[in-house]
Amino acid sequence: MFSKACEYGIRAMIYIGQQSADFGRRVGLKDIAAEIDSPEAFTAKVLQGLVRQQLVTSVKGPTGGFELTPEQLRTVTLKQIVVAIDGPDILQGCALGLPQCSAKQPCPMHFQFLPIRDQLNELLRTHTIGELAGKVHDGLAFLKR
Amino acid sequence: MFSKACEYGIRAMIYIGQQSADFGRRVGLKDIAAEIDSPEAFTAKVLQGLVRQQLVTSVKGPTGGFELTPEQLRTVTLKQIVVAIDGPDILQGCALGLPQCSAKQPCPMHFQFLPIRDQLNELLRTHTIGELAGKVHDGLAFLKR
DNA sequence: CAAATACCGGACAAAAATGTCCGGTAATAA
DNA sequence: TTATTACCGGACATTTTTGTCCGGTATTTG
Ligand code: FES
Ligand code: FES
């Protein structure tokens, strides 16, 4: 479904968001990698990209780390993260790999697949990091194991 | 979503099925690759695997090629093909890559993601190759362009 | 039987994804 | 100011996926 990079990116964002929302605390790479069970250096690469796209904020030096501003917590969606890392293909590409997904020249799965893909779009579009971080805070969801 | 191998595999199977159902005609690799716009040698590899799993039948020598028996047309589903090529992960794996998808230890997307994944399961489980080949026959669906 | 055909199987090659390392830079704190 | 901290950026390494090649084998036709 998603690439490893994307999985790590989402999990990292939710963890950063949870720490920012609950404690106003910045988190370092080592901390993140440990809490979401991901390779540290690779996760760094993924987060660097998200910082460039301003989906997350980073601060260098002692007491530095990653954080999500209240605005980012409220506005950054799963869709933005997925598109930033994996590109828009999963949101609009053909299930069977045809170069164009269209109702004019549909693949045999098109009309059955479309509603499913649309629901995925809706899921990604309507869920913010702040919302998902809340579940982790409440002990209703987990980021590893 | 699916790997390239899986996309080629499904498209090839539908084309083979359409030719078997409509004309009782075996099709060769060159023909298949041209009709579904896929790399010939790579498609061969994918089909070899499906032959081993008896999802499609192959015959060597002149007049040989690939075909689907009436039974295969009726019973082989998208799910069987996807699992044979990509494995069961897309049908049961966690959206965020947790080693186990479970409601006991759910990731933050679990309860929203589950119904979508279930619908995909249902789509793959309930559609046979014969059924999809029929759409191509009727000009309602296409395997390239 | 002999020749031609077409899938089979394994080795090989290229590209992409995943993962690591290390020096550079900016920020903090003593 | 100086030392320390922690992200940044690029190069490098490994693994997986994608794709190619070629001789072998089975089958058909003459
Ligand atoms: S054309 Fe294949 S999903 Fe739309
Ligand atoms: S635990 Fe992640 S989808 Fe079920």
Side-chain angles (χ1 to χ4, degrees):
Chain A
M1 169 101 330
F2 304 123
S3 67
K4 285 291 172 194
C6 198
E7 291 174 358
Y8 299 151
I10 295 173
R11 302 220 302 272
M13 287 290 280
I14 295 175
Y15 174 65
I16 296 167
Q18 188 239 322
Q19 293 294 309
S20 293
D22 292 358
F23 312 111
R25 176 197 297 165
R26 284 182 198 136
V27 284
L29 225 22
K30 192 162 303 192
D31 191 5
I32 296 170
E35 287 302 321
I36 71 173
D37 194 23
S38 71
E40 189 177 323
F42 189 59
T43 306
K45 274 277 179 290
V46 175
L47 284 175
Q48 276 175 43
L50 297 178
V51 168
R52 266 191 295 272
Q53 311 228 11
Q54 306 186 4
L55 301 183
V56 60
T57 306
S58 72
V59 177
K60 291 183 182 176
T63 79
F66 297 87
E67 67 180 333
L68 285 171
T69 66
E71 156 131 25
Q72 285 172 332
L73 274 170
R74 199 180 57 246
T75 61
V76 174
T77 63
L78 284 175
K79 175 173 175 173
Q80 289 179 278
I81 299 172
V82 169
V83 170
I85 300 174
D86 279 355
D89 235 49
I90 198 162
L91 301 179
Q92 51 191 57
C94 168
L96 296 189
L98 299 196
Q100 272 282 71
C101 170
S102 96
K104 295 279 172 60
Q105 195 88 346
C107 76
M109 286 182 68
H110 178 84
F111 291 105
Q112 285 75 37
F113 179 66
L114 215 56
I116 295 177
R117 200 186 61 190
D118 284 346
Q119 285 174 59
L120 181 64
N121 263 286
E122 198 62 7
L123 166 57
L124 297 180
R125 189 179 67 76
T126 58
H127 284 71
T128 66
I129 293 301
E131 189 182 338
L132 297 170
K135 297 190 191 184
V136 176
H137 168 259
D138 296 339
L140 300 175
F142 305 84
L143 295 172
K144 61 176 178 181
R145 288 290 193 136
Chain B
M1 169 100 326
F2 304 124
S3 68
K4 285 291 172 195
C6 197
E7 291 175 358
Y8 298 151
I10 295 173
R11 302 221 301 272
M13 287 291 280
I14 295 175
Y15 175 65
I16 297 166
Q18 189 239 323
Q19 293 294 308
S20 291
D22 292 358
F23 312 111
R25 177 197 296 166
R26 284 182 198 135
V27 285
L29 225 21
K30 191 161 307 190
D31 191 5
I32 296 170
E35 289 301 322
I36 70 173
D37 193 24
S38 71
E40 190 176 322
F42 189 58
T43 307
K45 275 277 179 290
V46 174
L47 283 175
Q48 276 176 43
L50 297 179
V51 168
R52 265 192 295 272
Q53 310 228 12
Q54 306 187 4
L55 301 183
V56 59
T57 306
S58 72
V59 177
K60 290 183 184 178
T63 79
F66 296 88
E67 67 180 333
L68 286 171
T69 66
E71 155 131 25
Q72 285 172 330
L73 275 170
R74 200 179 57 246
T75 61
V76 174
T77 62
L78 284 175
K79 173 173 175 174
Q80 289 178 278
I81 298 171
V82 169
V83 170
I85 299 174
D86 279 355
D89 234 48
I90 198 161
L91 302 179
Q92 50 191 58
C94 167
L96 296 188
L98 300 196
Q100 272 280 74
C101 171
S102 96
K104 295 278 174 59
Q105 195 89 346
C107 75
M109 287 183 67
H110 178 84
F111 292 105
Q112 285 76 34
F113 180 65
L114 214 57
I116 295 177
R117 200 185 62 190
D118 283 347
Q119 285 173 58
L120 181 64
N121 263 288
E122 197 62 7
L123 165 57
L124 298 179
R125 190 180 66 76
T126 57
H127 284 71
T128 66
I129 292 300
E131 188 181 339
L132 298 170
K135 299 190 191 183
V136 177
H137 169 259
D138 295 339
L140 300 176
F142 305 85
L143 296 171
K144 62 175 175 181
R145 284 293 190 139

